[in-house]
Amino acid sequence: MCGIAGFIDLWDQRSSRGHEERAEILANMCEVIRYRGPDDSGSLLKDGVALGMRRLSIIDLAGGHQPISGEDGSATVVFNGEIYNFQELQPKLEGSGHKFRTRSDTEAIVHAYEQYGTACVDHLRGMFAFAIWDDKRKSLFIARDRAGEKPLYYTLTSTGTLVFGSELKSLLEHPGVSRVTSAESLDAYFSLGYVPDPLSIFKDIKKLPPGHFLTFSNGRLLIKQYWDFAYETNGNRRREEDYLEELRELLDEAVRIRLVSDVPLGAFLSGGVDSSTVVALMARHMNQPVKTFSIGFLEDSYSELRYARQAAKKFGTDHHEFFVTPEICNVVDELAWHFDEPFADSSAIPTYVVSKLAREHVTVVLSGDGGDELFAGYTRYVTERKRRKYGLLPRRFRQGLMEPLSRTLPHGAWGRNFIHNVALDPIDRYFDNVSIFTGLNKRSLYTSDFHHALGGNSQVSMTFQEYGDNVGTNALLDALLYIDSKTYLPGDILTKVDRMSMAVSLEARVPLLDHKLIDFVTRIPASMKMTGLETKHLFKRAVAGLVPEEILTRPKQGFGVPIQQWINQQLRERIRDTLTDSRFRERGIISPAYTDVLLDEHERGRRDHSMALWSLLMLELWHQAFVDGGARRTNARSGEFVLDTSAQALAERNHIQEWEREEISRSAIESAYTAKGQLRYSDSEIDRFLHAEATTIYPLEYSHYLLGDVSGKTVLDFGCGAGKSSVLLARRKAKVIAMDISEPIMQVARERLIRNDIFNSVSFINASAHNIPLADESVDLVFGIAILHHLHLQLVSREVFRILKKGGRAIFQEPVRNSKVIKLLRGLIPYQAEDVSPFERPLTDEELADFGHGFSEYRSKAFTLPYINLAGILPVANKFMNPLQRFDGAVLRKFPSLDYYATVRVIEMVK
């Protein structure tokens, strides 16, 4: 995996630039995408030819340096991607007389070109974008893979220089490249949320479409298509059973050949059918547990972790999770930089985070992308099927009455968008359905100047119609699948995966887009892919028995984010400030009046304009980065706030993992005992803590006194156990994140919350305290009771510091000394209490003080109690507790330093 860049000057231009100037330009073009290939770099500078690359070493780590030339040195290649059948190609090419000097897949490409010419692409199985300079023919050959997994931009300058690169920002480093923004591309962006191939956001820069190659020789640029998604009628097979066995074999092969790697390899696991299938097949072929990586949200309706964990357990994976909190919204400026073009798919945020998480463990991941386009998995196909009945209405009625009516209705009128949508013909209806800003609203969206520059026609909607007309099966679903495979798949899904994985130097492979699998699936009748309103029908049948039934039958859930909630809260001010700023309003594209309507309707709750507002925000951030700022940001660094590398490494030490396994085992005993007890608290029991005073003699009351006003703040209940603190924190109207390493005890905590009439204000994270899956500076307060003595203090201190916001506090109550009597009783009596561990190792005052090192403030207070801990160990009835507490107070006041008492210390730290 790499990033490539280069340029070819015409003969009469070669004398105008010296060797050193061309070398500097090429170096800049490669340096700006250094993150795509941090391991190595290489270049070819010869006459007017400049080829460069940055390498992420995956195969043949020592011998895969690029550029690589053929036997006589006349053909030289720079390459981004992976060729999965290179080991099969090598003996065939050697049989034809070619000599291999390395074990790399890159060398197979250049020898295949020498053997087959431009037809070499027909022999390659993989993901790729490569450039070959043929010195004999004085010709440049550039090819892009069939589905569009790897990107390739190019432009022909006014002086005839061809400039190309993996990312648009590389081309912008060349002084001859024009930066005139394309009105057609902006219009497409407002519809789709991305700029579709072959367009780019700049008028004179294009993307090489998937399944195409170009040649450049003597100033002449030619582009040719060599492959396409071939939706054709297969008359030989009539029954579903005729397809199932071959489909299973092709799925298995597609995954198996993508396991070749000389570096660690893992998988993204969302818990959906596609990623679960990929992981299941990986587990079948790997001799060690698959490393899997998942993302969750505190908003349960967006989190798929339940299913991801189920799949991880089923396939015995080495599973890793990370929770995305709203604070991750700070990454939006990074997104604008990495995408090079306006890009409005908000799921780029979790893709970026899960890539960052994975990169801490592996260099290569497999993903389940592509399955929805191949096997009809999107809910929008269901929407279209439900609405096709309106197509039975006479066309004159729909377009002569319904469509004009929709345009006369006020912007906020109920049913306006629906009437407009169902009045359209099928392909136009589908385009309207997937658009952020529909044709109905674009007239209000655009300024008059921009509308005039655009010419009044939507080229992208015409492209949808042309793609639909190319499908010869007469099945509307096939037309929609083809349209998505040509637009949404390369323009959104694969762009997102490539940019976000490459931003952290991670290679992502997509087995469901193996071209042999595609060639087979596109010939399966549409009626078998979607039966009635059931999506992915045949695919689910093929993997039944392999993937858990609950995952196969679960409702479709896209890889989305709670963007509406984030826009209403964390991003509210950022969006309003950005969209009302003079820079945005003076660009002459978007009507300020319509922007105000969107903001007003959304903030008042009249309509959900979250996607529209997000797309406008990302457009403006792109302008600021690439138009106002000039895209000079070669020192960009990404994602430092997401994970702490050193902490991640510490968390994986074997002895820490052993501690955690023991704690999970012990908590099973605790949960079984606690679940039998009284889970609902009386008002008096709750009031005791909600109204605690500074003078209390009880540490738990004092800990709650220190909390103060936490209403609306994000509080991590650190080691929540059976949920006692979570109940109390929720009663204080905090936004509670309850975290514990034990799933059984968390089930008790969930039940306790329900028993105490708390339903929506607490989110749960099943995770290790040594590696907290929350973003940097994402919580206001960390609250823990009797938990630190189980943990690696240095690591936990680092993690707590990392997740706290500036000015945030951490409050812990910990035992620091136990009397001999208490120790003896704990060794003799079975475990009874829910909040004191029988295995605890009391900490010293010095250890706690060291735990707070690095915080700006550290305060502590000691408490000495004779009977409270004892009452927790012995089965003492609650009615005896108050007298014992009163006796505690009397004894403590008379004999404050008795050695036989257990001592507890409450500490408060401020970041």
Side-chain angles (χ1 to χ4, degrees):
M1 183 69 69
C2 306
I4 64 173
F7 56 93
I8 307 295
D9 286 327
L10 290 175
W11 291 107
D12 58 354
Q13 292 293 321
R14 296 177 185 182
S15 59
S16 64
R17 283 196 187 94
H19 180 86
E20 291 184 2
E21 183 181 357
R22 291 201 303 275
E24 182 180 2
I25 294 172
L26 183 63
N28 290 339
M29 293 176 69
C30 293
E31 182 63 23
V32 78
I33 56 170
R34 183 186 186 93
Y35 47 82
R36 293 189 71 95
D39 298 332
D40 190 16
S41 65
S43 64
L44 169 69
L45 285 162
K46 184 176 183 180
D47 297 327
V49 179
L51 304 182
M53 54 76 63
R54 294 290 321 186
R55 183 186 181 209
L56 177 65
S57 302
I58 303 294
I59 294 175
D60 192 6
L61 306 186
H65 177 78
Q66 297 183 39
I68 290 181
S69 300
E71 289 92 346
D72 61 2
S74 62
T76 303
V77 64
V78 288
F79 164 53
N80 170 28
E82 299 291 344
I83 304 301
Y84 304 120
N85 66 330
F86 75 98
Q87 293 173 328
E88 299 173 17
L89 283 173
Q90 182 172 339
K92 294 179 181 178
L93 293 168
E94 287 176 332
S96 299
H98 297 276
K99 306 295 184 183
F100 280 75
R101 301 186 301 275
T102 73
R103 296 186 300 104
S104 75
D105 54 341
T106 306
E107 188 175 3
I109 297 173
V110 71
H111 289 307
Y113 173 79
E114 291 174 325
Q115 182 67 28
Y116 306 114
T118 59
C120 66
V121 290
D122 298 327
H123 299 265
L124 303 179
R125 189 176 185 181
M127 57 178 182
F128 53 82
F130 61 80
I132 296 177
W133 173 250
D134 188 332
D135 203 47
K136 289 181 179 178
R137 296 182 175 87
K138 304 300 179 185
S139 173
L140 181 71
F141 172 61
I142 298 178
R144 188 178 178 195
D145 65 65
R146 296 167 177 85
E149 293 180 59
K150 295 292 100 185
L152 198 291
Y153 292 83
Y154 72 94
T155 186
L156 199 59
T157 71
S158 59
T159 58
T161 296
L162 179 73
V163 187
F164 69 90
S166 295
E167 295 189 15
L168 192 150
K169 63 174 65 69
S170 283
L171 277 67
L172 299 181
E173 294 296 321
H174 193 286
V177 172
S178 170
R179 292 176 180 241
V180 177
T181 304
S182 166
E184 179 184 353
S185 299
L186 282 170
D187 180 64
Y189 169 75
F190 290 126
S191 293
L192 305 176
Y194 57 91
V195 179
D197 299 4
L199 303 175
S200 89
I201 193 61
F202 293 114
K203 183 178 180 180
D204 295 325
I205 301 176
K206 305 297 182 185
K207 302 184 188 88
L208 183 63
H212 286 66
F213 64 76
L214 70 79
T215 57
F216 181 68
S217 180
N218 295 322
R220 186 182 181 191
L221 177 67
L222 296 176
I223 297 176
K224 182 178 180 180
Q225 183 173 15
Y226 68 88
W227 183 90
D228 199 6
F229 292 82
Y231 281 88
E232 300 173 357
T233 301
N234 188 334
N236 297 326
R237 302 187 186 187
R238 302 291 183 183
R239 301 177 306 118
E240 291 183 3
E241 285 70 17
D242 295 336
Y243 293 93
L244 288 173
E245 189 58 36
E246 186 172 354
L247 176 56
R248 294 185 183 110
E249 291 175 358
L250 286 170
L251 286 169
D252 185 80
E253 182 185 39
V255 171
R256 177 180 54 79
I257 65 173
R258 283 163 176 78
L259 299 180
V260 177
S261 174
D262 292 337
V263 294
L265 179 146
F268 292 152
L269 178 59
S270 69
V273 178
D274 300 336
S275 65
S276 298
T277 298
V278 170
V279 170
L281 295 173
M282 291 175 70
R284 175 185 291 177
H285 293 288
M286 294 179 66
N287 56 11
Q288 58 186 358
V290 181
K291 292 184 183 296
T292 53
F293 307 95
S294 301
I295 284 296
F297 298 93
L298 300 182
E299 297 83 357
D300 287 341
S301 61
Y302 286 86
S303 185
E304 299 182 272
L305 284 183
R306 168 191 169 191
Y307 300 103
R309 290 167 182 165
Q310 185 177 0
K313 182 177 180 180
K314 165 78 172 178
F315 307 124
T317 74
D318 178 10
H319 191 55
H320 304 262
E321 296 175 354
F322 192 88
F323 278 78
V324 178
T325 62
E327 286 70 24
I328 203 69
C329 292
N330 296 326
V331 80
V332 292
D333 296 288
E334 290 286 344
L335 298 186
W337 166 252
H338 280 294
F339 280 108
D340 294 354
E341 301 180 274
F343 189 82
D345 187 344
S346 57
S347 67
I349 295 176
T351 304
Y352 181 54
V353 177
V354 76
S355 297
K356 182 69 176 176
L357 171 64
R359 190 61 178 91
E360 302 296 331
H361 301 264
V362 299
T363 311
V364 177
V365 291
L366 273 63
S367 81
D369 294 297
D372 290 321
E373 290 82 1
L374 272 184
F375 297 100
Y378 290 126
T379 55
R380 59 206 209 184
Y381 304 140
V382 177
T383 300
E384 175 54 38
R385 182 153 293 188
K386 288 179 178 179
R387 294 186 179 183
R388 65 181 177 181
K389 59 188 176 185
Y390 294 98
L392 300 176
L393 295 171
R395 199 165 188 261
R396 285 186 179 182
F397 177 78
R398 289 186 286 110
Q399 297 189 0
L401 179 63
M402 295 176 65
E403 201 270 342
L405 174 63
S406 68
R407 295 189 181 277
T408 62
L409 292 172
H411 182 268
W414 183 85
R416 172 176 176 264
N417 294 331
F418 178 80
I419 293 173
H420 175 77
N421 180 260
V422 298
L424 302 172
D425 289 335
I427 299 299
D428 289 335
R429 183 170 63 236
Y430 184 69
F431 174 73
D432 184 82
N433 189 42
V434 302
S435 293
I436 299 174
F437 294 99
T438 66
L440 182 63
N441 296 320
K442 281 185 177 180
R443 295 184 181 183
S444 302
L445 174 70
Y446 296 152
T447 63
S448 57
D449 288 343
F450 182 74
H451 194 274
H452 182 266
L454 190 60
N457 294 321
S458 175
Q459 294 296 320
V460 66
S461 64
M462 296 173 61
T463 300
F464 266 54
Q465 191 65 56
E466 291 170 3
Y467 283 148
D469 293 340
N470 286 342
V471 175
T473 64
N474 296 320
L476 177 60
L477 179 61
D478 280 341
L480 302 185
L481 294 175
Y482 181 74
I483 289 170
D484 280 346
S485 297
K486 301 291 283 187
T487 58
Y488 185 61
L489 179 63
D492 186 309
I493 300 300
L494 296 178
T495 296
K496 175 183 64 180
V497 173
D498 175 80
R499 301 306 192 280
M500 294 297 90
S501 61
M502 284 283 89
V504 297
S505 307
L506 177 74
E507 174 175 298
R509 301 177 178 178
V510 190
L512 297 184
L513 292 180
D514 183 272
H515 80 272
K516 290 189 176 181
L517 176 63
I518 294 173
D519 288 341
F520 175 77
V521 173
T522 53
R523 289 169 172 80
I524 296 175
S527 59
M528 296 183 187
K529 297 172 186 173
M530 185 174 176
T531 59
L533 299 181
E534 181 197 2
T535 58
K536 285 185 179 171
H537 171 73
L538 191 70
F539 182 71
K540 291 175 182 177
R541 281 200 63 188
V543 299
L546 180 67
V547 173
E549 181 67 20
E550 187 175 358
I551 292 177
L552 290 176
T553 57
R554 58 169 293 202
K556 170 68 177 176
Q557 183 173 346
F559 192 43
V561 301
I563 194 66
Q564 180 181 2
Q565 293 93 315
W566 293 359
I567 285 178
N568 291 341
Q569 298 175 30
Q570 286 78 13
L571 284 169
R572 182 186 179 106
E573 292 185 9
R574 175 82 186 271
I575 285 181
R576 175 164 279 282
D577 290 346
T578 301
L579 301 188
T580 57
D581 186 86
S582 59
R583 286 183 297 177
F584 175 77
R585 302 204 164 203
E586 292 171 3
R587 298 196 191 277
I589 301 171
I590 306 300
S591 164
Y594 190 70
T595 303
D596 291 338
V597 169
L598 295 178
L599 288 168
D600 179 68
E601 288 186 349
H602 187 84
E603 291 175 356
R604 288 165 54 196
R606 292 191 60 190
R607 281 180 179 266
D608 176 17
H609 293 305
S610 53
M611 281 304 302
L613 294 173
W614 178 261
S615 67
L616 295 180
L617 172 68
M618 297 309 295
L619 173 65
E620 177 57 19
L621 294 182
W622 172 82
H623 267 110
Q624 292 176 14
F626 285 89
V627 178
D628 303 343
R632 288 296 300 173
R633 193 182 169 201
T634 58
N635 61 341
R637 298 182 67 188
S638 304
E640 294 182 352
F641 54 85
V642 177
L643 289 173
D644 184 282
T645 306
S646 58
Q648 187 81 359
L650 268 173
E652 293 181 339
R653 289 183 178 177
N654 291 334
H655 68 280
I656 292 179
Q657 292 181 341
E658 183 62 29
W659 290 354
E660 293 175 344
R661 284 191 288 269
E662 291 177 2
E663 183 62 21
I664 292 172
S665 177
R666 290 194 294 268
S667 68
I669 303 173
E670 177 184 353
S671 61
Y673 169 78
T674 307
K676 297 176 183 178
Q678 176 61 255
L679 297 181
R680 182 174 178 85
Y681 296 122
S682 67
D683 290 340
S684 61
E685 288 175 310
I686 291 176
D687 287 344
R688 172 189 169 195
F689 296 102
L690 296 188
H691 301 101
E693 298 179 351
T695 57
T696 179
I697 64 170
Y698 301 111
L700 190 55
E701 288 184 9
Y702 184 73
S703 300
H704 281 269
Y705 160 76
L706 289 177
L707 285 171
D709 181 12
V710 293
S711 176
K713 294 183 178 180
T714 302
V715 180
L716 176 64
D717 186 358
F718 191 85
C720 68
K724 183 175 183 178
S725 293
S726 295
V727 170
L728 297 172
L729 290 166
R731 286 295 181 92
R732 290 176 175 270
K733 299 183 180 180
K735 292 186 290 186
V736 185
I737 304 172
M739 185 185 79
D740 203 284
I741 198 171
S742 168
E743 179 61 33
I745 199 65
M746 290 178 67
Q747 291 294 343
V748 178
R750 291 186 180 95
E751 180 63 25
R752 171 164 277 161
L753 289 168
I754 294 172
R755 297 280 185 90
N756 287 274
D757 303 321
I758 296 169
F759 301 101
N760 299 317
S761 57
V762 179
S763 303
F764 285 89
I765 298 178
N766 180 210
S768 164
H770 296 111
N771 183 27
I772 304 172
L774 294 174
D776 291 7
E777 300 186 359
S778 57
V779 300
D780 298 290
L781 193 145
V782 176
F783 189 74
I785 304 298
I787 181 67
L788 295 180
H789 51 274
H790 297 301
L791 306 173
H792 187 296
L793 290 182
Q794 182 183 11
L795 176 55
V796 172
S797 174
R798 192 179 307 165
E799 284 289 273
V800 169
F801 187 90
R802 179 182 64 80
I803 66 172
L804 274 176
K805 297 177 181 178
K806 293 180 180 178
R809 297 179 298 144
I811 299 171
F812 291 97
Q813 174 194 306
E814 286 299 318
V816 291
R817 187 174 68 249
N818 279 324
S819 72
K820 294 179 181 178
V821 174
I822 297 296
K823 290 180 180 178
L824 177 63
L825 286 170
R826 286 193 176 137
L828 296 176
I829 302 174
Y831 184 72
Q832 298 290 326
E834 66 177 56
D835 59 353
V836 181
S837 168
F839 297 88
E840 64 188 21
R841 177 187 65 84
L843 303 173
T844 66
D845 290 345
E846 292 75 15
E847 284 177 312
L848 282 176
D850 185 62
F851 177 76
H853 180 72
F855 288 82
S856 63
E857 299 178 36
Y858 173 85
R859 295 180 286 270
S860 70
K861 184 175 180 179
F863 293 81
T864 306
L865 307 173
Y867 289 117
I868 296 304
N869 281 350
L870 180 60
I873 296 170
L874 297 172
V876 179
N878 286 335
K879 65 182 179 179
F880 295 122
M881 287 298 294
N882 287 338
L884 285 172
Q885 290 171 353
R886 287 194 294 271
F887 184 73
D888 258 355
V891 173
L892 179 60
R893 284 189 291 272
K894 191 168 183 65
F895 306 103
S897 58
L898 285 178
D899 291 336
Y900 287 103
Y901 291 180
T903 301
V904 173
R905 188 171 290 277
V906 177
I907 63 172
E908 180 184 22
M909 305 179 296
V910 181
K911 180 173 177 177

